[in-house]
Amino acid sequence: VPRDCGGDPGKLRPDGGGTKKLILAFHFTLSRPAGWDCETCRKKGLEAKRRCAWHAVGQAGEPRVVWARRGVASEECPRPRISAQSHAWIELYATWKRTGRGDVMGLEARDADALALLEAEWERERDEQQRR
Ligand SMILES: [Zn+2]
């Protein structure tokens, strides 16, 4: 299947929020922050502090950054914001990396875009680690 160079409706658009969501999901998954899961939020009553999306009180009040890493910030608990699609792309990226970064031509354009985006984010991550 030839890659569409034009406006593929399935593509990640920088302005569509999909890219930002995927990058956030990626950094959140990479950092594996302990205690950042809905179970802990609920048990320890952190919904309001972390502005969890499933919690009405958590969503009330002034927006503020509750989680941040390497210039990626979230104004609400990132956990419920990680979509199944973002998760699937992160898994796909991990597999692709593990199997030697093969040809992406066989992939759907949106999958290939997601891989390229995650690879760029990973490189940014690695550069920053080396700088320290
Ligand atoms: Zn939460």
Side-chain angles (χ1 to χ4, degrees):
V1 184
R3 288 284 300 277
D4 186 358
C5 304
D8 181 347
K11 251 182 170 175
L12 284 163
R13 279 169 306 244
D15 57 341
T19 302
K20 254 173 99 177
K21 245 168 87 177
L22 179 57
I23 289 173
L24 173 69
F26 181 61
H27 282 275
F28 191 71
T29 306
L30 263 186
S31 69
R32 287 184 228 277
W36 280 82
D37 54 80
C38 296
E39 186 67 18
T40 308
C41 291
R42 213 166 295 158
K43 264 195 208 152
K44 298 193 173 170
L46 292 166
E47 309 94 325
K49 203 177 159 215
R50 290 179 176 175
R51 300 172 54 81
C52 299
W54 47 268
H55 195 262
V57 176
Q59 287 291 284
E62 283 293 298
R64 65 182 188 284
V65 171
V66 299
W67 184 88
R69 181 172 189 267
R70 304 224 195 282
V72 181
S74 178
E75 289 186 345
E76 58 189 328
C77 185
R79 180 67 71 185
R81 288 181 68 198
I82 299 174
S83 66
Q85 178 64 83
S86 291
H87 191 74
W89 275 329
I90 291 166
E91 291 276 290
L92 178 70
Y93 175 68
T95 307
W96 175 70
K97 229 171 73 168
R98 207 169 44 233
T99 54
R101 291 180 169 79
D103 194 359
V104 298
M105 293 306 279
L107 295 172
E108 275 186 52
R110 56 203 293 270
D111 290 344
D113 285 350
L115 285 187
L117 183 74
L118 292 178
E119 180 72 352
E121 275 306 303
W122 173 247
E123 273 168 18
R124 201 163 69 90
E125 171 87 19
R126 211 186 37 202
D127 287 350
E128 280 183 41
Q129 275 175 12
Q130 282 169 354
R131 223 173 292 152
R132 264 190 273 153

